[in-house]
Amino acid sequence: MVFDTMRGAKVPLELLEPGRCGIYCCGPTVYDDAHIGHARAALMPDVLVRTLRARDIEVTYVRNVTDVDDKIIARAERERTTADAVAERYTARYHEDLAALGMLPPDVEPKVTEHIDDIVALCRTLEAKGLAYVRDGNLYFRVRAFPGYGALSRRNPDEMRSGARVEVDERKEDPLDFALWKAARPGEPVWDSPWGPGRPGWHIECSAMSMRYLGERFDVHAGGRDLVFPHHENEIAQSRGATCDTCFAQYWMHNGFVTFAGEKMSKSLGNFFTIREVIARYPGEAVRAFLLGVHYRSPVNFDVRVSCPSCGADLEPGAQERGTCTACGATFDPGALRAQIELPGVAEADERVAYVYRTLEGIERFFGGDVPPAEEGDVDPTVSGMRAAVDAALSDDLNTSAALAALSEPMALANRWLASGKGVPKKVRRATLARLFRDLRGQRPGDPKEGGISGLLGLFAADPGPYLRRRRDARAARMGLDVARIEQLLHERQAARAARDFEAADRLRDELRSMGVSVLDGPEGSDWTV
RNA sequence: GGCCUGGUAGCCAAGUGGUAAGGCAGAGCUCUGCAAAAGCUCUAUGCGUCGGUUCGAUUCCGACCCAGGCCUCCA
């Protein structure tokens, strides 16, 4: 089941061709670093692709890059470089960011500049069908000539006119009409066309590229909610106008928004965060887990906590803007606060991800590093039902929140049995722990087909030990701690403990604690964490 | 003004026509030289308000209130 915006309801996903699925996702316009909203928009189709591939459905996942656009041109002018250079830079950075969040690369990533011919061809078809007209070298789509306009966004073209607050372009026949091809202005990237030199309008590229790679009729078209109107509505008009009324995407899936501090974040801090900013502070997996904790259609809010640089008190938005702490009176540069913002929701998700890795590491240790393959019998039902619960959750319109919840009980059971095998048949204990590990990670952790749950969610695919150590060291570094010094104090404490000088050992523990380091005593010695 | 979402415990968040997943925080406990980790137990007679349908509604219907979004570039 999948929620289709066109039908306004959850409906069974019936593929055009059983066993195959074409998915098109509106990718970014590459004029700046991607923000968390872009991450979420990429995440929904990512989970869909993983879910389908896990079921042996052959997915063709297309996600475009829009590399010609007013904003790219503007930025290039500002930086005295070319639009190509700007687009190239931010495309590369986009790839890095998404990789850090565990996103699968699309099978095809078409760029607008490489599909001008397809776009021109589509425009010509529309013109030939009387759905487009030329004015001063611009080609416009004639909205009134397309009867189904407004179906996706539930809008009536007649009612929209009064509400239109857009500046009316006098060249258009109707204010609703939109540009398919824009006449060139000096200094802009330019391509030849039957209507003169120019470049594509905004919506046409997605029509051209999706149909180019997926055919005139394909299964799913995904994107952010804000694209429903006008972008997707216009795509439908262009595409169906050029082909047929039932052509183009059969299902429309839209993800909800991302807000920060309920939208009302301090202006001095900016109202959005880039992916890079966030993953500089938290593991990519924590961000992904946080996002997956909320159903994709609901809005997700990042709580933001800003504390005073000198006294540590929480700063209200007003205090943030003024640069004065209401608690201690300290003054500071509001801009500098950005670097020390905390995102409690992500921090919580980070802990949760670490918990799973700790459990996984525990299972590895239990088996002496080599977890046996999953066995069929003798597995506790709490664990044997886990995978099915995850599958069921994902089947229900990608309910990742429920999928994540399905891991809780099995994890608790594992930790209980890791700590003690009391009252549990040895065979059951071993089989259950092995099964949990295998169902979670499969043969190839993270792989949609062979990676078990990790391949479905794109989570928990790293090697537990190294993941945990990396996380710890990164946290220590952020706190300004010297790892070598910590290790040395730990060493001294070990010596004290060995000599049964617990007073000295506790003193050292306290010293470490004052640095923010927790000492962990285990059967095989002591470790630390922050 | 039009259209669309959503209002579930201190916080985050699933979900259902038959009496509320999960997480965080909190309390108690187990384990531990201490601590951490981990585990166990407890924590919403109630799911915005008011009506209606029903044997029974948080779940369906209606009205209202509130919040957010879209109608203009936007993931």
Side-chain angles (χ1 to χ4, degrees):
Chain A
M1 297 285 277
V2 121
F3 188 94
D4 175 27
T5 307
M6 186 66 91
R7 276 164 272 219
K10 267 194 228 176
V11 291
L13 179 61
E14 283 161 9
L15 303 176
L16 289 166
E17 197 183 324
R20 299 173 79 93
C21 184
I23 300 175
Y24 185 86
C25 167
C26 285
T29 301
V30 281
Y31 67 96
D32 201 353
D33 280 331
H35 58 249
I36 294 294
H38 292 106
R40 179 125 109 134
L43 181 57
M44 182 264 279
D46 186 75
V47 175
L48 178 63
V49 168
R50 289 170 179 278
T51 303
L52 295 173
R53 287 204 177 133
R55 287 163 206 204
D56 286 323
I57 289 165
E58 202 177 302
V59 178
T60 304
Y61 176 31
V62 182
R63 187 184 62 211
N64 75 294
V65 165
T66 297
D67 59 350
V68 207
D69 169 88
D70 290 344
K71 282 182 239 167
I72 296 172
I73 295 165
R75 183 159 198 140
E77 276 171 16
R78 220 179 320 129
E79 297 182 359
R80 316 184 75 82
T81 178
T82 64
D84 277 354
V86 169
E88 216 169 287
R89 176 163 86 237
Y90 289 110
T91 300
R93 288 167 73 92
Y94 180 68
H95 289 158
E96 288 169 19
D97 292 343
L98 290 199
L101 295 178
M103 307 285 183
L104 300 167
D107 298 300
V108 187
E109 189 174 55
K111 296 184 171 71
V112 179
T113 53
E114 291 166 7
H115 294 79
I116 301 293
D117 290 349
D118 291 322
I119 291 169
V120 168
L122 188 57
C123 288
R124 293 182 80 137
T125 304
L126 290 169
E127 192 182 19
K129 289 193 166 193
L131 288 164
Y133 57 94
V134 186
R135 291 285 184 284
D136 302 338
N138 295 285
L139 184 70
Y140 294 104
F141 185 86
R142 187 176 278 134
V143 169
R144 313 301 300 201
F146 181 75
Y149 196 78
L152 183 73
S153 55
R154 275 153 238 282
R155 260 169 248 271
N156 181 334
D158 294 321
E159 287 167 3
M160 277 165 57
R161 303 181 88 171
S162 53
R165 284 173 283 170
V166 211
E167 275 181 57
V168 180
D169 181 342
E170 290 303 332
R171 292 174 298 201
K172 294 186 194 172
E173 289 177 2
D174 186 287
L176 253 34
D177 293 348
F178 53 91
L180 296 168
W181 187 264
K182 295 176 169 182
R185 287 182 303 201
E188 291 181 354
V190 150
W191 289 268
D192 283 328
S193 83
W195 316 283
R199 60 194 166 91
W202 176 32
H203 317 290
I204 194 71
E205 83 283 15
C206 284
S207 291
M209 297 188 291
S210 58
M211 292 197 285
R212 170 85 165 78
Y213 293 102
L214 298 172
E216 288 185 354
R217 196 192 296 264
F218 60 92
D219 299 293
V220 180
H221 194 126
R225 243 188 150 56
D226 50 346
L227 295 182
V228 173
F229 188 90
H231 186 56
H232 288 163
E233 196 71 70
N234 291 354
E235 273 188 55
I236 291 170
Q238 296 162 342
S239 308
R240 292 194 166 162
T243 55
C244 79
D245 283 348
T246 55
C247 288
F248 208 51
Q250 306 299 302
Y251 296 87
W252 290 86
M253 295 177 68
H254 294 98
N255 62 274
F257 286 94
V258 175
T259 61
F260 279 94
E263 209 76 34
K264 285 168 195 150
M265 212 165 99
S266 149
K267 284 184 193 122
S268 60
L269 295 165
N271 205 171
F272 66 87
F273 281 82
T274 63
I275 296 171
R276 304 182 93 84
E277 284 178 293
V278 177
I279 61 182
R281 299 187 55 85
Y282 299 97
E285 265 193 75
V287 178
R288 187 175 172 104
F290 175 71
L291 256 13
L292 289 175
V294 181
H295 184 88
Y296 78 88
R297 278 188 286 124
S298 300
V300 59
N301 179 246
F302 281 70
D303 260 332
V304 177
R305 195 164 61 213
V306 188
S307 45
C308 170
S310 74
C311 76
D314 279 3
L315 292 174
E316 299 305 311
Q320 293 168 26
E321 272 175 74
R322 267 179 278 112
T324 310
C325 175
T326 34
C328 71
T331 59
F332 42 82
D333 171 19
L337 286 178
R338 197 178 175 90
Q340 53 181 81
I341 269 167
E342 283 176 78
L343 304 169
V346 180
E348 191 184 313
D350 179 33
E351 283 299 335
R352 216 37 210 164
V353 171
Y355 164 79
V356 173
Y357 275 121
R358 258 180 243 124
T359 307
L360 252 17
E361 190 184 37
I363 296 174
E364 281 183 334
R365 210 179 299 124
F366 175 83
F367 285 109
D370 203 12
V371 182
E375 296 165 34
E376 274 312 310
D378 293 331
V379 175
D380 187 277
T382 305
V383 166
S384 61
M386 176 174 70
R387 173 61 193 259
V390 169
D391 284 337
L394 293 176
S395 294
D396 185 13
D397 194 27
L398 308 178
N399 192 338
T400 51
S401 184
L404 249 16
L407 307 185
S408 284
E409 275 204 53
M411 286 293 143
L413 179 78
N415 280 119
R416 210 185 310 141
W417 286 5
L418 247 16
S420 156
K422 216 171 53 181
V424 186
K426 200 175 165 189
K427 217 178 156 191
V428 175
R429 188 184 181 206
R430 290 181 63 88
T432 300
L433 290 172
R435 176 71 171 277
L436 174 65
F437 191 93
R438 291 299 175 193
D439 275 5
L440 210 54
R441 319 197 86 221
Q443 291 308 305
R444 299 173 55 200
D447 180 80
K449 275 190 172 181
E450 297 170 55
I453 290 167
S454 76
L456 245 15
L457 299 174
L459 247 25
F460 320 126
D463 281 335
Y467 177 90
L468 260 7
R469 276 193 297 283
R470 251 183 284 125
R471 174 174 179 272
R472 181 194 69 187
D473 291 347
R475 285 159 68 93
R478 214 176 311 120
M479 289 164 72
L481 296 176
D482 176 359
V483 173
R485 165 114 182 104
I486 293 168
E487 302 277 2
Q488 193 210 326
L489 289 172
L490 207 65
H491 219 82
E492 286 172 24
R493 181 168 169 281
Q494 272 306 90
R497 272 180 19 120
R500 302 200 66 78
D501 182 357
F502 292 124
E503 228 174 277
D506 284 353
R507 240 192 339 269
L508 285 160
R509 177 193 284 283
D510 289 340
E511 185 178 343
L512 283 158
R513 202 204 314 273
S514 69
M515 296 161 66
V517 177
S518 300
V519 177
L520 316 175
D521 289 340
E524 293 132 42
S526 298
D527 203 354
W528 61 280
T529 188
V530 286

